[in-house]
Amino acid sequence: MRLSQPPLSYVPLLPVLLGMVAGVLLLRFVSVDIWCVVGGALLLAVAAALLHFRLFVEIALAFSIGAVATSVSLPRQFDTPPDHDTFMHGCVVDAVQLPEQQRLSVDVCPDSGSPFRVMLTYPAFDAIPLPGDSVSFSGSFSLPCRDVDIPLQDDMADYYFNNGISLLCFVPKGNLSVVGRSGNPFYAFKRWRTRLADLIIASDLDEKAAVFLAAILSGDASAVPSQLRSDYAAAGVAHILALSGAHVAVIAMVISIIFAPLAIAGHRRMRWWLTIISLWLFALFTGMSPSVCRAVIMASAVMLALIFDRPRSSLNALCLAAIVILLFSPLSLMQAGFQLSFVATLSIILISPALSPKSPLRFIPSKLCETGAATLAATMGTFPLVAWHFHSVPVYFFIANIVAMIVMPVMIAAGILLVVLLLFGSQPHWLLWLLNTAYTLFDGVAAFVAHLPGATLDNIYPEGWMLIPMFLTLAFATAYIYLRHRWYAVLSVATLLFTVAAYAARSPIYDEGEAYIVRSRDAVAIASHQGDTLRMLTLAPAHEYRFDSLRWADDYRDYTATRGISCIDIRPLDSVAACSGGVVDFGSRSILVATSLHTDSIAASTPLHTDYCLVSSKWYGDPVDLFHNANTDTIVLSTDINRRRRRRYYRELQQASIPAIDLGTRPLSSR
């Protein structure tokens, strides 16, 4: 076939992508002046153009574009949080309903200064606003600074930064009101997505099947139970709950079937144009996640190549998708979903053709083999990132994914039909039976695989530099599959052995005796590692122990896994301190707990010297007198003290040249 235009593969998109990634990484992790960076990149581009180095011109220009896009996307930084009684007005971007609270992301456009985003937390019994609602609110503001009390605890500061959050705000009941609604169609799509999920959950489907169907069609997986998420992760099918290329492929197939009469009538290009428009509407409807945008951009590139009679290039389409996403949302590069989606797709493009059988097969067995090879290639390629981000890798992933390949097209296609019929008030019994049966099959296999012996490789904590030899192992293995040269196999095995040996050599051995003060707005707690137990001494009331234990088990899961901790023992700090004269052990050190004790009686009750004196919200008095009366080295101010009072205490202690630690700005450990 004669081509009317040069092929898309002539476009060097890979250098452009590499330049953009370098610009994003520089602006994200290095504090530099953006104009100096852009000026230097443009000078380099001019010099490369004069020397006829076209490749360096493209990289330099892409680098400057990535740097500018990142500088625009970086969240606004505040030196101090606003006062408690400050009222703000903004538009709700996202709304999440949690069991114990609700969270809103609100874009605020102040009268002066640049706009910024605030993460609101407020009681669960208040009405939840929808995306696009204009709200007015006030509360306790704080900065999203690094707040890690225990090693390997999730650092939410990176999450807030990568999602553009500039301020955090706890809103008391009655301090938030809806004052209007935005006319932005993007928010309308988000509201429709919420209504779609509610419509499916309210149908006559079984509850679990309805929640699962709502997640795979709308992308809203907030109603999926945590235990179900854990089972799917152990079975290697957690990606099913996150909209990805597989969902877009099924949606594209359904749309193609709907528009098939256009192709029969000779309007193939019209069919492709309508398919592209429909896919982008689906991306808008599901929130424009990186994985969906990647799949839709690649599908659009393929169909545009068909429309304009040009050959297709999967690698160029993948690079184009990454460039477009990084242009509009450069901080997506730091998100696990972006990384896993693109690495999985790259692995499918490069590795799956070599894994597919070369002998001619019938259509259905051939497609099953190709899908199985794609699943294996994606899992191989994402293994390093899964181990890095989630510290656990499924072993029997192939079994559950084979069933998913059969069930997911049925669930998505039948789910779309059910939604259409629900809009007209109809719920055919045969369709409900089909969806319930398909989900029961998938869920049963996933649960079976998740509970097999050795279903996951757990407690994998590689260092960042180990990702390099991991990916080198895969690169050498891929080269061997294609070229069949034994030296590539040798290099792959040698790199793998080096990675395993380096991981084993770098794995530290932890001793008992570690202790940390766990900071909280509600109640302070002291955590200490004792054998297979994490001992928690807390000032929280007894009725909150169950909730605290679940929260600590989740927040400190990596710490407990690396230390071999199997249980959490919670005890009241007041009682334990009273039995030992107000003093508790803090690793190899000691802490005097000043809660409801009077300043005058502290010296008499604690004649022994202590390393720290912990002041909580239950203590009132003069901190300078406390230091002089208590035989201690340092005063420690807990975060459960009112912020203004805590700052006053800290200022008075500094003016008296008394060593003091404010847990609101600095954690304390015995290490």
Side-chain angles (χ1 to χ4, degrees), residues 27-58:
L27 264 292
R28 170 61 180 87
F29 294 106
V30 181
S31 180
V32 294
D33 182 60
I34 179 60
W35 300 115
C36 293
V37 171
V38 173
L42 293 179
L43 289 177
L44 180 61
V46 172
L50 294 176
L51 296 174
H52 302 287
F53 292 155
R54 179 182 174 184
L55 182 64
F56 290 102
V57 174
E58 296 173 354

PDB file of all heavy atoms in Angstrom, residues 27-58:
ATOM      1  N   LEU A  27      13.144  20.069  38.562  1.00  0.00           N
ATOM      2  CA  LEU A  27      12.325  21.060  39.277  1.00  0.00           C
ATOM      3  C   LEU A  27      11.631  20.453  40.493  1.00  0.00           C
ATOM      4  O   LEU A  27      11.314  21.168  41.446  1.00  0.00           O
ATOM      5  CB  LEU A  27      11.284  21.660  38.328  1.00  0.00           C
ATOM      6  CG  LEU A  27      11.662  22.977  37.662  1.00  0.00           C
ATOM      7  CD1 LEU A  27      11.721  24.099  38.702  1.00  0.00           C
ATOM      8  CD2 LEU A  27      13.011  22.882  36.953  1.00  0.00           C
ATOM      9  N   ARG A  28      11.414  19.141  40.483  1.00  0.00           N
ATOM     10  CA  ARG A  28      10.737  18.513  41.621  1.00  0.00           C
ATOM     11  C   ARG A  28      11.669  18.342  42.818  1.00  0.00           C
ATOM     12  O   ARG A  28      11.261  18.548  43.966  1.00  0.00           O
ATOM     13  CB  ARG A  28      10.174  17.139  41.194  1.00  0.00           C
ATOM     14  CG  ARG A  28       9.652  16.266  42.343  1.00  0.00           C
ATOM     15  CD  ARG A  28       8.511  16.934  43.066  1.00  0.00           C
ATOM     16  NE  ARG A  28       8.016  16.113  44.168  1.00  0.00           N
ATOM     17  CZ  ARG A  28       8.500  16.112  45.401  1.00  0.00           C
ATOM     18  NH1 ARG A  28       9.532  16.916  45.692  1.00  0.00           N
ATOM     19  NH2 ARG A  28       7.993  15.357  46.342  1.00  0.00           N
ATOM     20  N   PHE A  29      12.925  17.993  42.578  1.00  0.00           N
ATOM     21  CA  PHE A  29      13.806  17.629  43.684  1.00  0.00           C
ATOM     22  C   PHE A  29      14.932  18.623  43.946  1.00  0.00           C
ATOM     23  O   PHE A  29      15.629  18.500  44.940  1.00  0.00           O
ATOM     24  CB  PHE A  29      14.428  16.248  43.434  1.00  0.00           C
ATOM     25  CG  PHE A  29      13.421  15.135  43.435  1.00  0.00           C
ATOM     26  CD1 PHE A  29      13.026  14.525  42.256  1.00  0.00           C
ATOM     27  CD2 PHE A  29      12.845  14.717  44.619  1.00  0.00           C
ATOM     28  CE1 PHE A  29      12.096  13.500  42.258  1.00  0.00           C
ATOM     29  CE2 PHE A  29      11.907  13.693  44.635  1.00  0.00           C
ATOM     30  CZ  PHE A  29      11.530  13.083  43.447  1.00  0.00           C
ATOM     31  N   VAL A  30      15.127  19.593  43.071  1.00  0.00           N
ATOM     32  CA  VAL A  30      16.197  20.571  43.243  1.00  0.00           C
ATOM     33  C   VAL A  30      15.579  21.965  43.257  1.00  0.00           C
ATOM     34  O   VAL A  30      14.771  22.303  42.381  1.00  0.00           O
ATOM     35  CB  VAL A  30      17.254  20.468  42.124  1.00  0.00           C
ATOM     36  CG1 VAL A  30      18.363  21.486  42.352  1.00  0.00           C
ATOM     37  CG2 VAL A  30      17.823  19.062  42.051  1.00  0.00           C
ATOM     38  N   SER A  31      15.949  22.749  44.246  1.00  0.00           N
ATOM     39  CA  SER A  31      15.438  24.115  44.351  1.00  0.00           C
ATOM     40  C   SER A  31      16.319  25.040  43.502  1.00  0.00           C
ATOM     41  O   SER A  31      17.429  25.416  43.906  1.00  0.00           O
ATOM     42  CB  SER A  31      15.430  24.566  45.816  1.00  0.00           C
ATOM     43  OG  SER A  31      14.943  25.875  45.930  1.00  0.00           O
ATOM     44  N   VAL A  32      15.863  25.368  42.303  1.00  0.00           N
ATOM     45  CA  VAL A  32      16.617  26.209  41.373  1.00  0.00           C
ATOM     46  C   VAL A  32      15.689  27.275  40.812  1.00  0.00           C
ATOM     47  O   VAL A  32      14.460  27.155  40.858  1.00  0.00           O
ATOM     48  CB  VAL A  32      17.223  25.371  40.222  1.00  0.00           C
ATOM     49  CG1 VAL A  32      18.279  24.414  40.748  1.00  0.00           C
ATOM     50  CG2 VAL A  32      16.133  24.598  39.487  1.00  0.00           C
ATOM     51  N   ASP A  33      16.297  28.312  40.262  1.00  0.00           N
ATOM     52  CA  ASP A  33      15.530  29.376  39.624  1.00  0.00           C
ATOM     53  C   ASP A  33      15.093  28.909  38.241  1.00  0.00           C
ATOM     54  O   ASP A  33      15.922  28.524  37.410  1.00  0.00           O
ATOM     55  CB  ASP A  33      16.371  30.645  39.517  1.00  0.00           C
ATOM     56  CG  ASP A  33      15.583  31.784  38.889  1.00  0.00           C
ATOM     57  OD1 ASP A  33      14.547  32.177  39.450  1.00  0.00           O
ATOM     58  OD2 ASP A  33      16.014  32.272  37.834  1.00  0.00           O
ATOM     59  N   ILE A  34      13.787  28.945  37.983  1.00  0.00           N
ATOM     60  CA  ILE A  34      13.252  28.403  36.742  1.00  0.00           C
ATOM     61  C   ILE A  34      13.785  29.139  35.526  1.00  0.00           C
ATOM     62  O   ILE A  34      14.076  28.533  34.490  1.00  0.00           O
ATOM     63  CB  ILE A  34      11.704  28.432  36.769  1.00  0.00           C
ATOM     64  CG1 ILE A  34      11.126  27.884  35.467  1.00  0.00           C
ATOM     65  CG2 ILE A  34      11.190  29.815  37.058  1.00  0.00           C
ATOM     66  CD1 ILE A  34      11.494  26.473  35.159  1.00  0.00           C
ATOM     67  N   TRP A  35      13.970  30.475  35.648  1.00  0.00           N
ATOM     68  CA  TRP A  35      14.420  31.226  34.482  1.00  0.00           C
ATOM     69  C   TRP A  35      15.870  30.923  34.149  1.00  0.00           C
ATOM     70  O   TRP A  35      16.241  30.905  32.974  1.00  0.00           O
ATOM     71  CB  TRP A  35      14.218  32.720  34.727  1.00  0.00           C
ATOM     72  CG  TRP A  35      12.774  33.053  34.972  1.00  0.00           C
ATOM     73  CD1 TRP A  35      12.217  33.546  36.111  1.00  0.00           C
ATOM     74  CD2 TRP A  35      11.701  32.886  34.034  1.00  0.00           C
ATOM     75  NE1 TRP A  35      10.855  33.700  35.963  1.00  0.00           N
ATOM     76  CE2 TRP A  35      10.514  33.300  34.691  1.00  0.00           C
ATOM     77  CE3 TRP A  35      11.624  32.429  32.721  1.00  0.00           C
ATOM     78  CZ2 TRP A  35       9.279  33.263  34.073  1.00  0.00           C
ATOM     79  CZ3 TRP A  35      10.379  32.396  32.103  1.00  0.00           C
ATOM     80  CH2 TRP A  35       9.233  32.818  32.774  1.00  0.00           C
ATOM     81  N   CYS A  36      16.683  30.653  35.161  1.00  0.00           N
ATOM     82  CA  CYS A  36      18.068  30.236  34.888  1.00  0.00           C
ATOM     83  C   CYS A  36      18.094  28.885  34.184  1.00  0.00           C
ATOM     84  O   CYS A  36      18.879  28.658  33.252  1.00  0.00           O
ATOM     85  CB  CYS A  36      18.862  30.171  36.188  1.00  0.00           C
ATOM     86  SG  CYS A  36      19.139  31.775  36.970  1.00  0.00           S
ATOM     87  N   VAL A  37      17.225  27.974  34.626  1.00  0.00           N
ATOM     88  CA  VAL A  37      17.165  26.647  34.009  1.00  0.00           C
ATOM     89  C   VAL A  37      16.719  26.753  32.558  1.00  0.00           C
ATOM     90  O   VAL A  37      17.333  26.179  31.651  1.00  0.00           O
ATOM     91  CB  VAL A  37      16.219  25.739  34.813  1.00  0.00           C
ATOM     92  CG1 VAL A  37      15.977  24.431  34.073  1.00  0.00           C
ATOM     93  CG2 VAL A  37      16.787  25.469  36.194  1.00  0.00           C
ATOM     94  N   VAL A  38      15.634  27.497  32.315  1.00  0.00           N
ATOM     95  CA  VAL A  38      15.119  27.629  30.946  1.00  0.00           C
ATOM     96  C   VAL A  38      16.127  28.358  30.059  1.00  0.00           C
ATOM     97  O   VAL A  38      16.359  27.961  28.909  1.00  0.00           O
ATOM     98  CB  VAL A  38      13.771  28.366  30.962  1.00  0.00           C
ATOM     99  CG1 VAL A  38      13.301  28.669  29.543  1.00  0.00           C
ATOM    100  CG2 VAL A  38      12.729  27.530  31.690  1.00  0.00           C
ATOM    101  N   GLY A  39      16.749  29.425  30.602  1.00  0.00           N
ATOM    102  CA  GLY A  39      17.746  30.145  29.814  1.00  0.00           C
ATOM    103  C   GLY A  39      18.919  29.263  29.438  1.00  0.00           C
ATOM    104  O   GLY A  39      19.382  29.274  28.275  1.00  0.00           O
ATOM    105  N   GLY A  40      19.409  28.463  30.392  1.00  0.00           N
ATOM    106  CA  GLY A  40      20.513  27.557  30.091  1.00  0.00           C
ATOM    107  C   GLY A  40      20.128  26.508  29.065  1.00  0.00           C
ATOM    108  O   GLY A  40      20.918  26.179  28.164  1.00  0.00           O
ATOM    109  N   ALA A  41      18.905  25.972  29.169  1.00  0.00           N
ATOM    110  CA  ALA A  41      18.458  24.965  28.207  1.00  0.00           C
ATOM    111  C   ALA A  41      18.322  25.554  26.806  1.00  0.00           C
ATOM    112  O   ALA A  41      18.691  24.916  25.809  1.00  0.00           O
ATOM    113  CB  ALA A  41      17.124  24.367  28.669  1.00  0.00           C
ATOM    114  N   LEU A  42      17.802  26.787  26.716  1.00  0.00           N
ATOM    115  CA  LEU A  42      17.663  27.415  25.398  1.00  0.00           C
ATOM    116  C   LEU A  42      19.022  27.735  24.788  1.00  0.00           C
ATOM    117  O   LEU A  42      19.221  27.582  23.566  1.00  0.00           O
ATOM    118  CB  LEU A  42      16.817  28.685  25.524  1.00  0.00           C
ATOM    119  CG  LEU A  42      15.341  28.474  25.903  1.00  0.00           C
ATOM    120  CD1 LEU A  42      14.620  29.804  26.025  1.00  0.00           C
ATOM    121  CD2 LEU A  42      14.647  27.580  24.882  1.00  0.00           C
ATOM    122  N   LEU A  43      19.970  28.175  25.597  1.00  0.00           N
ATOM    123  CA  LEU A  43      21.325  28.405  25.079  1.00  0.00           C
ATOM    124  C   LEU A  43      21.937  27.114  24.566  1.00  0.00           C
ATOM    125  O   LEU A  43      22.603  27.096  23.519  1.00  0.00           O
ATOM    126  CB  LEU A  43      22.198  29.021  26.172  1.00  0.00           C
ATOM    127  CG  LEU A  43      21.894  30.478  26.549  1.00  0.00           C
ATOM    128  CD1 LEU A  43      22.788  30.922  27.702  1.00  0.00           C
ATOM    129  CD2 LEU A  43      22.118  31.394  25.334  1.00  0.00           C
ATOM    130  N   LEU A  44      21.719  26.016  25.308  1.00  0.00           N
ATOM    131  CA  LEU A  44      22.227  24.722  24.853  1.00  0.00           C
ATOM    132  C   LEU A  44      21.563  24.305  23.549  1.00  0.00           C
ATOM    133  O   LEU A  44      22.225  23.753  22.652  1.00  0.00           O
ATOM    134  CB  LEU A  44      21.978  23.672  25.937  1.00  0.00           C
ATOM    135  CG  LEU A  44      22.442  22.248  25.619  1.00  0.00           C
ATOM    136  CD1 LEU A  44      23.956  22.209  25.393  1.00  0.00           C
ATOM    137  CD2 LEU A  44      22.052  21.296  26.744  1.00  0.00           C
ATOM    138  N   ALA A  45      20.266  24.587  23.412  1.00  0.00           N
ATOM    139  CA  ALA A  45      19.562  24.245  22.180  1.00  0.00           C
ATOM    140  C   ALA A  45      20.107  25.047  20.998  1.00  0.00           C
ATOM    141  O   ALA A  45      20.297  24.506  19.894  1.00  0.00           O
ATOM    142  CB  ALA A  45      18.062  24.501  22.348  1.00  0.00           C
ATOM    143  N   VAL A  46      20.386  26.335  21.212  1.00  0.00           N
ATOM    144  CA  VAL A  46      20.949  27.163  20.135  1.00  0.00           C
ATOM    145  C   VAL A  46      22.325  26.653  19.732  1.00  0.00           C
ATOM    146  O   VAL A  46      22.653  26.537  18.539  1.00  0.00           O
ATOM    147  CB  VAL A  46      21.015  28.633  20.588  1.00  0.00           C
ATOM    148  CG1 VAL A  46      21.778  29.469  19.562  1.00  0.00           C
ATOM    149  CG2 VAL A  46      19.608  29.196  20.777  1.00  0.00           C
ATOM    150  N   ALA A  47      23.165  26.340  20.732  1.00  0.00           N
ATOM    151  CA  ALA A  47      24.504  25.825  20.432  1.00  0.00           C
ATOM    152  C   ALA A  47      24.416  24.502  19.675  1.00  0.00           C
ATOM    153  O   ALA A  47      25.167  24.269  18.712  1.00  0.00           O
ATOM    154  CB  ALA A  47      25.292  25.644  21.731  1.00  0.00           C
ATOM    155  N   ALA A  48      23.495  23.617  20.082  1.00  0.00           N
ATOM    156  CA  ALA A  48      23.350  22.338  19.393  1.00  0.00           C
ATOM    157  C   ALA A  48      22.839  22.529  17.969  1.00  0.00           C
ATOM    158  O   ALA A  48      23.245  21.803  17.051  1.00  0.00           O
ATOM    159  CB  ALA A  48      22.393  21.440  20.183  1.00  0.00           C
ATOM    160  N   ALA A  49      21.956  23.531  17.769  1.00  0.00           N
ATOM    161  CA  ALA A  49      21.452  23.803  16.425  1.00  0.00           C
ATOM    162  C   ALA A  49      22.576  24.307  15.517  1.00  0.00           C
ATOM    163  O   ALA A  49      22.652  23.933  14.337  1.00  0.00           O
ATOM    164  CB  ALA A  49      20.318  24.811  16.488  1.00  0.00           C
ATOM    165  N   LEU A  50      23.455  25.156  16.065  1.00  0.00           N
ATOM    166  CA  LEU A  50      24.579  25.656  15.265  1.00  0.00           C
ATOM    167  C   LEU A  50      25.542  24.541  14.895  1.00  0.00           C
ATOM    168  O   LEU A  50      26.170  24.581  13.827  1.00  0.00           O
ATOM    169  CB  LEU A  50      25.308  26.760  16.035  1.00  0.00           C
ATOM    170  CG  LEU A  50      24.500  28.050  16.278  1.00  0.00           C
ATOM    171  CD1 LEU A  50      25.310  29.023  17.137  1.00  0.00           C
ATOM    172  CD2 LEU A  50      24.121  28.706  14.948  1.00  0.00           C
ATOM    173  N   LEU A  51      25.643  23.550  15.767  1.00  0.00           N
ATOM    174  CA  LEU A  51      26.532  22.417  15.504  1.00  0.00           C
ATOM    175  C   LEU A  51      25.826  21.284  14.771  1.00  0.00           C
ATOM    176  O   LEU A  51      26.421  20.213  14.573  1.00  0.00           O
ATOM    177  CB  LEU A  51      27.111  21.892  16.825  1.00  0.00           C
ATOM    178  CG  LEU A  51      28.007  22.870  17.598  1.00  0.00           C
ATOM    179  CD1 LEU A  51      28.389  22.287  18.944  1.00  0.00           C
ATOM    180  CD2 LEU A  51      29.264  23.192  16.780  1.00  0.00           C
ATOM    181  N   HIS A  52      24.557  21.512  14.421  1.00  0.00           N
ATOM    182  CA  HIS A  52      23.756  20.530  13.677  1.00  0.00           C
ATOM    183  C   HIS A  52      23.555  19.240  14.469  1.00  0.00           C
ATOM    184  O   HIS A  52      23.508  18.143  13.900  1.00  0.00           O
ATOM    185  CB  HIS A  52      24.401  20.211  12.318  1.00  0.00           C
ATOM    186  CG  HIS A  52      24.586  21.420  11.457  1.00  0.00           C
ATOM    187  ND1 HIS A  52      23.537  22.069  10.829  1.00  0.00           N
ATOM    188  CD2 HIS A  52      25.708  22.129  11.136  1.00  0.00           C
ATOM    189  CE1 HIS A  52      24.000  23.106  10.159  1.00  0.00           C
ATOM    190  NE2 HIS A  52      25.314  23.176  10.328  1.00  0.00           N
ATOM    191  N   PHE A  53      23.412  19.370  15.792  1.00  0.00           N
ATOM    192  CA  PHE A  53      23.079  18.224  16.640  1.00  0.00           C
ATOM    193  C   PHE A  53      21.578  18.281  16.932  1.00  0.00           C
ATOM    194  O   PHE A  53      21.137  18.809  17.947  1.00  0.00           O
ATOM    195  CB  PHE A  53      23.876  18.249  17.940  1.00  0.00           C
ATOM    196  CG  PHE A  53      25.350  18.014  17.758  1.00  0.00           C
ATOM    197  CD1 PHE A  53      26.259  18.490  18.682  1.00  0.00           C
ATOM    198  CD2 PHE A  53      25.819  17.305  16.669  1.00  0.00           C
ATOM    199  CE1 PHE A  53      27.609  18.270  18.527  1.00  0.00           C
ATOM    200  CE2 PHE A  53      27.173  17.072  16.489  1.00  0.00           C
ATOM    201  CZ  PHE A  53      28.072  17.560  17.424  1.00  0.00           C
ATOM    202  N   ARG A  54      20.799  17.740  16.001  1.00  0.00           N
ATOM    203  CA  ARG A  54      19.343  17.847  16.114  1.00  0.00           C
ATOM    204  C   ARG A  54      18.821  17.147  17.369  1.00  0.00           C
ATOM    205  O   ARG A  54      17.879  17.627  18.013  1.00  0.00           O
ATOM    206  CB  ARG A  54      18.698  17.237  14.867  1.00  0.00           C
ATOM    207  CG  ARG A  54      17.182  17.265  14.897  1.00  0.00           C
ATOM    208  CD  ARG A  54      16.598  16.593  13.666  1.00  0.00           C
ATOM    209  NE  ARG A  54      15.151  16.499  13.762  1.00  0.00           N
ATOM    210  CZ  ARG A  54      14.380  15.889  12.874  1.00  0.00           C
ATOM    211  NH1 ARG A  54      14.935  15.334  11.797  1.00  0.00           N
ATOM    212  NH2 ARG A  54      13.079  15.833  13.030  1.00  0.00           N
ATOM    213  N   LEU A  55      19.444  16.028  17.721  1.00  0.00           N
ATOM    214  CA  LEU A  55      18.982  15.272  18.881  1.00  0.00           C
ATOM    215  C   LEU A  55      19.072  16.108  20.156  1.00  0.00           C
ATOM    216  O   LEU A  55      18.142  16.143  20.972  1.00  0.00           O
ATOM    217  CB  LEU A  55      19.806  13.990  19.028  1.00  0.00           C
ATOM    218  CG  LEU A  55      19.422  13.059  20.179  1.00  0.00           C
ATOM    219  CD1 LEU A  55      18.020  12.524  19.977  1.00  0.00           C
ATOM    220  CD2 LEU A  55      20.418  11.911  20.285  1.00  0.00           C
ATOM    221  N   PHE A  56      20.187  16.822  20.342  1.00  0.00           N
ATOM    222  CA  PHE A  56      20.372  17.637  21.541  1.00  0.00           C
ATOM    223  C   PHE A  56      19.441  18.850  21.540  1.00  0.00           C
ATOM    224  O   PHE A  56      19.041  19.332  22.609  1.00  0.00           O
ATOM    225  CB  PHE A  56      21.824  18.078  21.660  1.00  0.00           C
ATOM    226  CG  PHE A  56      22.764  16.954  21.992  1.00  0.00           C
ATOM    227  CD1 PHE A  56      23.551  16.382  21.019  1.00  0.00           C
ATOM    228  CD2 PHE A  56      22.834  16.460  23.285  1.00  0.00           C
ATOM    229  CE1 PHE A  56      24.405  15.343  21.320  1.00  0.00           C
ATOM    230  CE2 PHE A  56      23.688  15.425  23.604  1.00  0.00           C
ATOM    231  CZ  PHE A  56      24.476  14.863  22.618  1.00  0.00           C
ATOM    232  N   VAL A  57      19.101  19.343  20.359  1.00  0.00           N
ATOM    233  CA  VAL A  57      18.133  20.445  20.284  1.00  0.00           C
ATOM    234  C   VAL A  57      16.779  19.994  20.818  1.00  0.00           C
ATOM    235  O   VAL A  57      16.142  20.683  21.631  1.00  0.00           O
ATOM    236  CB  VAL A  57      18.002  20.950  18.832  1.00  0.00           C
ATOM    237  CG1 VAL A  57      16.890  21.992  18.734  1.00  0.00           C
ATOM    238  CG2 VAL A  57      19.312  21.540  18.350  1.00  0.00           C
ATOM    239  N   GLU A  58      16.341  18.821  20.387  1.00  0.00           N
ATOM    240  CA  GLU A  58      15.052  18.303  20.845  1.00  0.00           C
ATOM    241  C   GLU A  58      15.053  18.064  22.351  1.00  0.00           C
ATOM    242  O   GLU A  58      14.097  18.413  23.050  1.00  0.00           O
ATOM    243  CB  GLU A  58      14.726  17.009  20.097  1.00  0.00           C
ATOM    244  CG  GLU A  58      14.525  17.188  18.601  1.00  0.00           C
ATOM    245  CD  GLU A  58      14.368  15.866  17.888  1.00  0.00           C
ATOM    246  OE1 GLU A  58      14.529  14.820  18.564  1.00  0.00           O
ATOM    247  OE2 GLU A  58      14.088  15.855  16.684  1.00  0.00           O
TER     248      GLU A  58
END
